[in-house]
Amino acid sequence: MVHLVNALHLRPSDFMGTTDSFVTATLLQDDLPLHCFHSPWVANNNDPRYDFSRKIGLPLQPDLSANWTLVLKVFDYQLECNELLGQVTIPLNALLASPGTWHNQTH
């Protein structure tokens, strides 16, 4: 289960000084995408709260010799082309070996 909580201090990318953001999440096994989803977008907010969860297609007994990675990308929604605001790549092997909760506060 992946739970996207919020983002803080996103760079303003609209003419009004705000963003209309959403997050994409991609689960990779050895750099091959296995599962991908995106959050709903949050309009006019540089500190958006997504509070969005999605089950991901992870095997019950994942192969820990494989390289498991979760890539999260934050975009500003645009009619012509969405603008990438930032991304984080999270190696999952340590979490799969001893499950728990991971969070990151990147400034």
Side-chain angles (χ1 to χ4, degrees):
M1 174 76 70
V2 174
H3 183 81
L4 305 171
V5 179
N6 66 329
L8 296 172
H9 313 298
L10 293 179
R11 173 178 50 85
S13 58
D14 293 342
F15 68 94
M16 296 183 59
T18 60
T19 63
D20 303 319
S21 67
F22 66 95
V23 178
T24 64
T26 305
L27 175 67
L28 304 171
Q29 180 184 7
D30 294 327
D31 295 324
L32 298 173
L34 294 182
H35 193 84
C36 187
F37 67 89
H38 64 85
S39 72
W41 63 278
V42 177
N44 301 320
N45 194 330
N46 294 342
D47 298 313
R49 180 157 183 84
Y50 304 106
D51 198 18
F52 180 77
S53 297
R54 180 66 58 97
K55 290 183 181 180
I56 57 175
L58 196 62
L60 290 176
Q61 297 293 320
D63 177 7
L64 294 179
S65 67
N67 182 27
W68 293 90
T69 308
L70 182 65
V71 179
L72 302 174
K73 295 181 180 182
V74 179
F75 289 91
D76 180 53
Y77 175 80
Q78 301 288 330
L79 290 177
E80 301 83 32
C81 182
N82 297 323
E83 180 183 352
L84 179 65
L85 298 176
Q87 71 181 45
V88 62
T89 300
I90 304 166
L92 295 181
N93 285 58
L95 279 177
L96 294 172
S98 69
T101 300
W102 184 91
H103 72 278
N104 183 15
Q105 294 182 343
T106 304
H107 299 283

